[in-house]
Amino acid sequence: MSWGQFWDAVTAPRVVASYKLTFGASLLAAAINSVFGLIVAWVLVRYSFPGKRLVDALVDLPFALPTAVAGIALTALYAPNGWIGHYLQDWWGLKVAYTPLGVLVALIFIGLPFIVRTVQPVLEDVEAELEEAAATLGATRWQIFAHVIFPAVLPALLTGFTLAFARAVGEYGSVVFIAGNMPMISEITPLIIITKLEQYDYTGATAVAVVMLVTSFALLLLINYLQWLSRKHNPEK
Amino acid sequence: METTVDTALAPPARRRLARRSAREEPAWVRLALIFIALAFLLLFLFAPLAAVFAGAFRKGWEAYIASIIEPDAWSAIKLTLLAAGIAVPLNLIFGVAAAWAIAKFEFRGKSLLITLIDLPFSVSPVVSGLIYVLIFGLQGWFGPSLHEHDIKIIFAVPGIVLATMFVTFPFVARELIPLMQAQGTEEEEAAVVLGANGWQIFWRVTLPNIKWGLLYGVILCNARAMGEFGAVSVVSGHVRGLTNTMPLHVEILYNEYNFAAAFAVASLLALLALVTLALKTLVEWLGREQINRGQA
């Protein structure tokens, strides 16, 4: 395959549309997970409520549940006749399954534990003395959170964000069921590779795979850099 | 310890009150945050889990049992057990060897090795599968010579085992490397001084120290090995009753609109996930106990 053919294969409109969906939905899912994952981690570390240990253990479900199972379960839930989907449909006229929104839902499911599990230990380590000192100096609870606690967990949050994003970009099993897989609209890049393989277009599949591999490497470097950065700021860890 | 200091220094009630207001939010904020967290988890985690079992039993027990003992489902279960049965022990040996080398010795290219071990985590499963098609497939590097000797790897069981091994490669090593690095080499050095040989050091000193971390890694490795979909899907060829693992069988049933049967097989995998989480929690707890005993 020549350089020109490679370029044509990886910049075909259908492929470019899939990059936009894959990277856009992955970014958005990681951002949503950062907000709610932080809240979940906070609640699990700081508060007590009935069933907390069970909830804590179940946060890892997306790590343990096979992606195909997650995929069909989410589709059944968010389909127009599903438990959640029919409320979304009736109340807001919102279609989730078989649209790009479905991709987002699957990627939120997949990414959540990455955020919770990277933020949780750091949150546990925030020293009570620091918060008490801030309170003694007259800080409100919100100021303490914004200026004392949040800066301490930010490196972990960023690492979790990147891990969730990297996982979401390559995710296949949970997405293909819920996405509807319409070319140009709800087709993710890994599915493009599969489709090309099924048409025996091995070179085309490899070209798109190369783009994904390069992206994974870049993300891997970024993760290592972020972890190095957070170690530099907390030398004792 | 803290409470004794408290009672010695200040009236306990006042002191505790001050502590609480510095570390805690008003009750309504607390309740709101708990509500948001649980509602989010309900929508994205608990409801899907419930949906699997609800879907599986929609047509009752008999249909459930029937779709599991049906021959194609049964051979998918056997193939999944076979792939995990090969991939997990091999990755266990590899993981211990890699973690041992990385944590206890200094050598060139160590950080490259660590990055390589992490690679399967950051590569899309689809790309992982594709790599094997490019190497062993008919158009691949070894394809023609394999074909001459009538050896089938892609679209056959060996390919499935290889792909499963690749994606579960990092689990054991990743779990052990930080653990063994934190433990350092003092205990092993003491054993050497006392005259132990390599095997004795490993079985009597290193292994007891890492056993919970090792078990933890194996549990996660096994869950992923049995549940892998993307990579296996690329190399399997989807031959019913021959090269279908459980997740692939779920996909076929689902795409044939045989939802009850798809969810029935899926529920076995969901059960596996729940057992995995329970074991993982137990092992974490046992590991903490060991650390606490070690410090006391």
Side-chain angles (χ1 to χ4, degrees):
Chain A
M1 185 180 234
S2 74
W3 179 247
Q5 285 168 312
F6 174 84
W7 188 251
D8 289 343
V10 299
T11 56
R14 191 167 156 189
V15 180
V16 171
S18 84
Y19 298 147
K20 281 185 191 155
L21 174 67
T22 303
F23 289 99
S26 299
L27 266 179
L28 196 56
I32 292 171
N33 271 332
S34 297
V35 175
F36 288 97
L38 181 62
I39 295 177
V40 170
W42 178 274
V43 164
L44 288 175
V45 171
R46 300 260 166 153
Y47 306 150
S48 58
F49 53 90
K52 177 170 133 172
R53 294 187 63 175
L54 186 69
V55 171
D56 196 355
L58 279 175
V59 166
D60 280 330
L61 184 71
F63 284 160
L65 194 70
T67 50
V69 178
I72 63 169
L74 288 168
T75 312
L77 272 182
Y78 288 91
N81 58 354
W83 290 346
I84 299 175
H86 90 261
Y87 287 114
L88 296 174
Q89 176 91 316
D90 293 352
W91 293 348
W92 294 301
L94 206 59
K95 276 187 82 133
V96 176
Y98 318 123
T99 71
L101 266 184
V103 178
L104 183 67
V105 166
L107 296 181
I108 290 174
F109 174 86
I110 287 300
L112 181 70
F114 288 97
I115 309 275
V116 178
R117 291 307 185 220
T118 44
V119 168
Q120 212 174 359
V122 181
L123 209 50
E124 272 164 3
D125 279 350
V126 173
E127 287 171 48
E129 284 76 12
L130 282 179
E131 289 176 52
E132 284 162 17
T136 317
L137 294 170
T140 64
R141 197 60 202 137
W142 174 250
Q143 284 173 321
I144 295 175
F145 174 78
H147 297 291
V148 177
I149 301 171
F150 189 71
V153 299
L154 186 61
L157 195 61
L158 278 176
T159 307
F161 179 92
T162 324
L163 286 172
F165 176 67
R167 171 70 202 266
V169 167
E171 179 57 21
Y172 172 70
S174 58
V175 176
V176 280
F177 293 99
I178 199 169
N181 306 327
M182 282 188 306
M184 305 299 291
I185 297 170
S186 61
E187 192 178 40
I188 54 166
T189 312
L191 181 68
I192 296 253
I193 298 178
I194 296 260
T195 314
K196 283 184 185 291
L197 274 180
E198 279 168 0
Q199 296 160 348
Y200 302 102
D201 177 9
Y202 288 98
T203 42
T206 311
V208 178
V210 166
V211 172
M212 292 208 73
L213 264 180
V214 171
T215 322
S216 316
F217 272 122
L219 285 169
L220 202 64
L221 285 178
L222 184 66
I223 293 167
N224 285 342
Y225 175 69
L226 285 174
Q227 276 165 351
W228 173 80
L229 213 61
S230 69
R231 264 201 300 276
K232 211 175 80 176
H233 285 288
N234 309 299
E236 74 273 19
K237 299 259 157 55
Chain B
M1 214 179 99
E2 245 161 69
T3 46
T4 53
V5 175
D6 276 356
T7 44
L9 286 180
R14 237 172 81 193
R15 175 80 188 201
R16 220 173 292 137
L17 202 68
R19 248 193 124 85
R20 178 170 304 159
S21 59
R23 289 269 284 166
E24 275 183 10
E25 294 71 38
W28 70 268
V29 176
R30 250 180 297 158
L31 285 176
L33 286 177
I34 292 176
F35 177 78
I36 293 172
L38 290 182
F40 185 77
L41 291 176
L42 180 75
L43 283 181
F44 288 99
L45 289 193
F46 306 150
L49 187 62
V52 173
F53 290 102
F57 289 106
R58 200 168 46 176
K59 287 186 181 162
W61 265 104
E62 275 156 37
Y64 180 81
I65 302 286
S67 40
I68 286 170
I69 57 172
E70 177 253 341
D72 285 343
W74 197 233
S75 76
I77 293 172
K78 279 193 288 197
L79 182 57
T80 293
L81 291 177
L82 175 76
I86 297 173
V88 174
L90 286 178
N91 277 333
L92 167 74
I93 295 168
F94 163 77
V96 172
W100 169 279
I102 286 167
K104 312 278 176 178
F105 299 98
E106 288 301 324
F107 56 92
R108 258 163 189 272
K110 194 163 148 175
S111 50
L112 182 69
L113 181 62
I114 297 176
T115 311
L116 278 180
I117 289 174
D118 268 349
L119 196 64
F121 272 163
S122 43
V123 171
S124 172
V126 170
V127 177
S128 311
L130 175 68
I131 292 167
Y132 285 102
V133 174
L134 292 179
I135 298 176
F136 298 114
L138 261 186
Q139 278 89 355
W141 288 351
F142 302 124
S145 58
L146 286 170
H147 187 69
E148 270 172 34
H149 296 94
D150 208 23
I151 302 172
K152 273 202 92 171
I153 292 182
I154 300 305
F155 306 141
V157 175
I160 293 173
V161 174
L162 277 175
T164 307
M165 278 187 62
F166 181 82
V167 292
T168 55
F169 208 50
F171 283 90
V172 175
R174 263 285 105 185
E175 212 50 60
L176 289 184
I177 290 167
L179 184 68
M180 287 169 98
Q181 274 175 337
Q183 284 169 350
T185 52
E186 284 98 354
E187 291 187 30
E188 277 85 357
E189 281 160 14
V192 171
V193 173
L194 293 171
N197 66 32
W199 266 129
Q200 287 173 319
I201 297 175
F202 177 73
W203 286 107
R204 304 270 182 90
V205 179
T206 309
L207 194 63
N209 276 337
I210 60 166
K211 64 178 176 205
W212 297 122
L214 187 63
L215 204 54
Y216 191 91
V218 167
I219 291 166
L220 293 183
C221 180
N222 179 59
R224 182 68 194 268
M226 292 191 170
E228 178 51 29
F229 179 72
V232 169
S233 163
V234 173
V235 297
S236 127
H238 306 270
V239 184
R240 268 185 111 127
L242 280 180
T243 63
N244 259 346
T245 60
M246 285 167 79
L248 297 178
H249 192 62
V250 168
E251 183 197 23
I252 288 194
L253 291 171
Y254 190 87
N255 287 342
E256 286 170 351
Y257 302 100
N258 195 348
F259 296 131
F263 278 105
V265 179
S267 76
L268 291 181
L269 289 166
L271 218 54
L272 169 79
L274 289 178
V275 171
T276 301
L277 291 183
L279 282 176
K280 184 178 152 300
T281 312
L282 181 72
V283 167
E284 269 171 340
W285 183 75
L286 288 171
R288 264 203 302 275
E289 289 281 289
Q290 190 190 27
I291 290 168
N292 291 342
R293 264 202 315 274
Q295 282 169 347

